[in-house]
Amino acid sequence: MGLPEVKADGAEALLARHPAPTKGARWAEEMREKAVASLRAMGAPVGRDEYWKYTDPRPLTADTAEAAVLKVDEAPVFGEVDRLKLVFVDGIFDPAQSDDLALSGVEIEHLSDALATDIHWAKDVFGVLEARGQDPVPRPMAALNTAVASVGVAIRVTGKAAKPISLRYLHENPTSDAVIHHVIKVEEGAEVTLLENGPAAARFNKCMEVEVADRATFHHVRAQGRDHERLAATHMFTRLGTESVFKSFTLTVNGVLTRNEAVIEFTGDDAQAHIAGASAGDGAFHHDDTVFITHDAVNCESRQVFKKVLRNGAKGAFQGKILVKAGAQKTDGYQISQGLMLDDDSQFLAKPELEIYADDVACSHGSTVGAVDEDALFYLTSRGVPRVDAQGMLVLAFIDEAIQEIEDAALADEIRERLGAWLERHRAV
């Protein structure tokens, strides 16, 4: 059987394994139909696809999810933050553990309710940003999500949100296979902080579409961790208006396979987008950050900062592209991806890219991989710091450039504390 047939059969298998989504309004059904057609046209992902060559998609496309051992829950990340909490258990919204949906400056609905409404603001976002993000790189797992997801929230921010919105994903069924889709629109001049944490499911497919209007601000901080055997494929599609701000940070520890995709499009002048990630893996750990940023407006700034710490055969991958279209003058694009190997068995794979069609730009990218600096270790140990503690200090310092992208100092400190605790549990002896 040839590759096209394998991909086509794989797409049909992906669609067949999920029940038909809740029936919605005609516009929602049309977007789902387009997503199905898109998935069938591109086929399921396979290892020979250019943007899957570093990550084996088979665990994500298999007929059933492998059982993921449940770990005793730690104190929840962001547990001390005053926030509006929305809880999902194995991909199902849990009202008993969630707060009331009312929040000053914000309108929150269940995705199924929004998609069932004939006239709704979500019509301009749901499936629209995901479809735009399919060109020039196909993203079949995102198309699958739009086609089948019924669970999620629709969030419209109309002012400055009174407090952060927290999406907490709990995992209770060892073989759960969850699909969640969120739609977010931050109206002109509005501002919101979105927090996400939790293992979610044995296998998790999540898609988030974020429209940031003119002079609006969206902050996003995510922590992925706890259950080590979980699988996850997440997607974030963002469109930015004039003078808008988008900042996203993700911490990933544990997880046998995690692929986080982000597609960001500048459509308004003088906007900025910062996306950062820190990951730490030990043993059977594969983490993939795939980012595509399109500059299609004047005087916009983008930053990509990704740091990975790997040991005992763990693997990390980064694929990041900055596309500057003709006319997107005065673009400032920065991209850095770095891997820190704590042994000789781990692997870091990177594919940084720049594609520029404007002449008045400042764009740079860099990628490095190496071990802990022995001179720095010697300096610390010669002053009485035990070697294992010195290594931990240097690892935290290495990652901190990514953590500094978090706007809220208290949230940044909590991320540092969580990362430090993970390193303490996995410290070399």
Side-chain angles (χ1 to χ4, degrees):
M1 183 182 295
L3 183 60
E5 291 80 7
V6 170
K7 291 174 67 66
D9 290 349
E12 294 303 326
L14 286 174
L15 291 168
R17 85 175 187 215
H18 294 283
T22 304
K23 198 75 172 177
R26 185 58 203 155
W27 63 268
E29 292 302 302
E30 288 175 352
M31 290 311 302
R32 292 196 190 280
E33 291 166 4
K34 288 180 181 179
V36 170
S38 176
L39 176 58
R40 284 175 168 155
M42 70 182 79
V46 296
R48 290 174 62 183
D49 292 341
E50 176 65 21
Y51 278 87
W52 285 92
K53 66 180 181 180
Y54 295 150
T55 299
D56 183 357
R58 287 177 295 180
L60 299 170
T61 60
D63 289 340
T64 58
E66 292 289 333
V69 174
L70 304 175
K71 181 179 178 182
V72 176
D73 205 0
E74 305 163 357
V77 184
F78 314 127
E80 301 302 317
V81 177
D82 181 22
R83 68 206 194 283
L84 185 145
K85 184 173 62 177
L86 305 177
V87 178
F88 299 82
V89 179
D90 292 317
I92 303 299
F93 181 75
D94 186 343
Q97 298 190 65
S98 301
D99 295 331
D100 186 85
L101 300 184
L103 179 64
S104 176
V106 180
E107 301 170 4
I108 304 176
E109 299 175 71
H110 296 292
L111 179 71
S112 56
D113 293 337
L115 300 188
T117 305
D118 288 331
I119 300 177
H120 198 281
W121 61 263
K123 180 179 180 180
D124 297 328
V125 183
F126 175 74
V128 175
L129 303 191
E130 175 264 302
R132 291 174 68 91
Q134 298 290 350
D135 182 26
V137 179
R139 306 179 192 279
M141 300 304 291
L144 171 69
N145 186 296
T146 299
V148 305
S150 292
V151 177
V153 289
I155 300 174
R156 179 171 175 254
V157 186
T158 57
K160 183 175 175 59
K163 54 186 175 182
I165 300 170
S166 173
L167 305 179
R168 189 177 181 207
Y169 308 111
L170 301 182
H171 175 205
E172 294 182 356
N173 180 346
T175 59
S176 55
D177 195 0
V179 180
I180 290 180
H181 194 116
H182 303 306
V183 180
I184 301 170
K185 186 172 186 179
V186 189
E187 297 284 8
E188 182 173 353
E191 181 176 351
V192 69
T193 295
L194 184 73
L195 308 176
E196 294 186 280
N197 72 288
R203 183 166 61 186
F204 188 37
N205 180 331
K206 190 202 73 179
C207 185
M208 181 184 295
E209 297 176 282
V210 184
E211 177 87 48
V212 188
D214 297 349
R215 291 168 289 284
T217 300
F218 179 80
H219 292 287
H220 174 241
V221 182
R222 172 172 55 174
Q224 299 171 311
R226 205 190 76 165
D227 300 349
H228 182 68
E229 295 177 358
R230 62 177 174 78
L231 308 169
T234 77
H235 319 80
M236 179 180 291
F237 298 92
T238 303
R239 182 165 57 188
L240 297 171
T242 300
E243 297 179 18
S244 61
V245 175
F246 168 89
K247 291 190 175 183
S248 175
F249 172 86
T250 298
L251 171 67
T252 306
V253 296
N254 301 322
V256 69
L257 171 59
T258 304
R259 179 176 169 110
N260 296 325
E261 297 194 37
V263 181
I264 301 169
E265 181 182 14
F266 288 94
T267 59
D269 298 341
D270 304 302
Q272 62 174 284
H274 294 193
I275 183 164
S279 59
D282 188 345
F285 173 90
H286 184 105
H287 188 270
D288 179 342
D289 285 301
T290 294
V291 181
F292 198 112
I293 297 180
T294 300
H295 285 264
D296 196 14
V298 174
N299 197 38
C300 293
E301 173 191 288
S302 66
R303 285 177 57 87
Q304 302 174 54
V305 181
F306 289 88
K307 303 293 187 83
K308 300 181 190 293
V309 178
L310 307 166
R311 68 188 296 259
N312 289 336
K315 294 182 180 180
F318 173 79
Q319 301 177 101
K321 183 165 185 175
I322 301 173
L323 169 62
V324 182
K325 291 190 173 182
Q329 304 295 354
K330 301 189 182 303
T331 287
D332 183 356
Y334 173 78
Q335 178 195 98
I336 186 71
S337 60
Q338 296 178 313
L340 183 63
M341 307 292 102
L342 300 185
D343 57 33
D344 295 331
D345 299 324
S346 299
Q347 189 176 22
F348 176 62
L349 305 165
K351 183 186 176 186
E353 297 179 272
L354 297 177
E355 187 174 344
I356 301 171
Y357 297 98
D359 52 17
D360 185 8
V361 303
C363 290
S364 64
H365 67 69
S367 183
T368 64
V369 59
V372 173
D373 188 333
E374 288 295 332
D375 290 339
L377 272 178
F378 175 78
Y379 177 87
L380 291 171
T381 55
S382 67
R383 281 152 180 78
V385 180
R387 183 179 177 87
V388 67
D389 293 336
Q391 178 173 282
M393 293 169 63
L394 294 173
V395 168
L396 289 172
F398 167 78
I399 290 178
D400 207 64
E401 181 184 1
I403 298 176
Q404 289 175 23
E405 293 296 323
I406 302 174
E407 189 85 5
D408 188 303
L411 293 176
D413 286 343
E414 179 161 3
I415 292 296
R416 291 186 181 99
E417 180 181 334
R418 294 288 173 158
L419 182 57
W422 185 92
L423 290 171
E424 179 67 21
R425 293 193 299 271
H426 292 260
R427 62 192 294 172
V429 295

